[in-house]
Amino acid sequence: MVKLSVVVPFFNVQTYAPDTLTSLRANAREDFEFLLVDDCSSDGTPEILERAVRDVPGAVLLRHERNEGLATARNTGLDAARGEYVTFLDGDDWLAHGYYGRLVAAMDRLGCDFLRTDHVSVSGRKRTVRQAPVARRDEVLDPREAILPAHRTTSVDYPYAWAGIYHRRLKERGLLHFPHGLRTAEDRPWIWKLHREAESFAAIGELGVFYRRGVTTSLTQIGDVRQLDFIRAFDQVIEETAKDPAADRLLPKAVRTYCALISHHIGGIGRFEPEVAGQLKAMSAGALRRMPQGVLDEALAAMGGDRAAMLRKLRKQRPAPPPAAPDPTPVSVSRTVAHGTPEVAA
């Protein structure tokens, strides 16, 4: 039986993929599988991944015939995952030796739905430990309670899918898949849904993921229209949280976080292409008007200062309609396993 499935999307990361794959090889076990998803790369990444199927024990190569974005690439890997546990890694990050074995041992010991872990943020030669914002460690907790309080950083503000490990039963309940087609902020609706609907979780101090910051191909570094997917992502958070039986308690946190994200993007509007900057303002105005207005007024009052004044002014501007969902047509996927031939599936 497969104990752990690791979903690793790749898109045009030929510079970094060899380090990622070397670290996977250093974490290989007979009961681990590594699902390498090539999201239609146009550089040397496909050739690197073809070699990895031969060199990395447990590697399976899945190929998209068109570029779909990180969320859909992760879903492709999830659909193929056979493990009792599932985790994620991005194709430009890497792992400490033996990290996944320690993560699985912690999951076996605690027996909860999912674990959250710390990680190492890497910017050039600088390395900084980033801790999951959960004070109680090695203790099984209620995920819903970890959403609050509204005015502090909590577990839903630490959305990194690769900073943890997840039991297969969450996949079977539909809690591990990402919103199709999102190219940024795909982990925001995901982490909120996980904390609202899972039954148990824990945080541990295990360090093992090295997360590259400032990668030039990362969407966080590119000011184009794909960055605006954060609006569709957080619209989903608001819509789903509003239906929760505890919406009165949870919506203030969701609205405050959404406001903080809008403020962050408007504050960095100079990095966007002019046309996209205009779309950002109009779509942000529409988002502010779609939020529950009483909750928004309370959030802006608590926020205060220049940020609140900017958001109030923005709310009065002419809004854009909600962003359209992407084409739901399934992407064609081919699959290659070690020493095997490709199989194509719709």
Side-chain angles (χ1 to χ4, degrees):
M1 179 181 177
V2 176
K3 187 70 171 180
L4 176 68
S5 297
V6 184
V7 176
V8 196
F10 294 82
F11 177 65
N12 288 354
V13 287
Q14 64 179 8
T15 302
Y16 308 108
D19 289 343
T20 304
L21 295 165
T22 297
S23 74
L24 288 175
R25 189 163 54 245
N27 277 267
R29 275 182 13 184
E30 290 185 358
D31 55 351
F32 288 2
E33 66 176 1
F34 303 120
L35 302 164
L36 315 178
V37 185
D38 178 23
D39 193 22
C40 200
S41 296
S42 58
D43 64 354
T45 301
E47 291 75 19
I48 294 171
L49 296 181
E50 287 170 6
R51 291 195 297 271
V53 174
R54 299 189 296 270
D55 297 340
V56 179
V60 177
L61 177 56
L62 305 169
R63 294 184 179 92
H64 283 176
E65 294 191 357
R66 66 173 187 260
N67 180 254
E68 290 285 330
L70 180 58
T72 301
R74 284 177 173 167
N75 290 343
T76 294
L78 278 171
D79 289 341
R82 299 175 297 153
E84 179 184 357
Y85 303 140
V86 177
T87 190
F88 303 90
L89 185 67
D90 286 352
D92 51 7
D93 298 334
W94 77 95
L95 306 163
H97 181 86
Y99 170 65
Y100 282 150
R102 297 190 294 274
L103 210 55
V104 164
M107 193 70 160
D108 284 343
R109 173 171 53 84
L110 290 164
C112 51
D113 281 346
F114 67 98
L115 291 180
R116 302 296 282 157
T117 68
D118 304 334
H119 72 275
V120 180
S121 178
V122 180
S123 297
R125 295 186 177 182
K126 181 180 179 182
R127 299 186 180 186
T128 306
V129 173
R130 302 295 186 190
Q131 293 185 318
V134 182
R136 293 158 62 183
R137 298 296 176 104
D138 295 287
E139 179 181 350
V140 178
L141 304 170
D142 181 350
R144 291 174 66 85
E145 293 303 314
I147 296 172
L148 300 173
H151 63 281
R152 288 174 51 189
T153 298
T154 69
S155 191
V156 290
D157 301 310
Y158 187 80
Y160 314 109
W162 36 258
I165 183 172
Y166 313 91
H167 197 284
R168 182 180 184 84
R169 58 179 170 259
L170 296 177
K171 174 188 170 182
E172 294 169 351
R173 291 180 56 194
L175 299 184
L176 290 186
H177 281 72
F178 295 81
H180 168 65
L182 281 181
R183 295 176 181 273
T184 190
E186 75 293 329
D187 44 15
R188 295 290 185 158
W190 178 85
I191 194 69
W192 271 84
K193 187 174 186 178
L194 199 59
H195 273 277
R196 285 193 314 264
E197 300 189 28
E199 296 177 1
S200 61
F201 91 113
I204 59 174
E206 187 70 54
L207 278 174
V209 177
F210 292 81
Y211 168 51
R212 293 187 198 269
R213 299 290 302 245
V215 176
T216 55
T217 55
S218 171
L219 280 184
T220 60
Q221 303 297 311
I222 300 172
D224 71 13
V225 71
R226 292 172 293 177
Q227 273 286 300
L228 303 188
D229 274 5
F230 85 91
I231 291 176
R232 186 162 70 89
F234 236 90
D235 274 358
Q236 181 174 335
V237 172
I238 297 294
E239 179 182 357
E240 293 177 348
T241 304
K243 298 175 182 176
D244 191 276
D248 289 348
R249 292 182 62 225
L250 302 180
L251 271 175
K253 173 65 176 177
V255 168
R256 285 176 68 122
T257 306
Y258 201 173
C259 287
L261 284 171
I262 291 173
S263 178
H264 167 75
H265 283 285
I266 294 293
I269 201 167
R271 67 187 175 87
F272 288 91
E273 301 162 1
E275 182 179 351
V276 177
Q279 292 180 44
L280 171 60
K281 288 183 178 179
M283 291 175 69
S284 296
L288 289 164
R289 293 192 183 189
R290 288 192 297 274
M291 294 180 202
Q293 294 301 292
V295 179
L296 175 58
D297 288 337
E298 292 176 1
L300 294 177
M303 182 180 294
D306 293 340
R307 287 198 306 167
M310 179 271 291
L311 292 172
R312 289 191 182 98
K313 181 179 179 181
L314 189 61
R315 179 168 55 170
K316 295 177 181 178
Q317 295 185 12
R318 183 176 180 179
D327 179 3
T329 303
V331 63
S332 180
V333 179
S334 65
R335 174 188 177 101
T336 303
V337 297
H339 306 295
T341 56
E343 300 175 354
V344 178

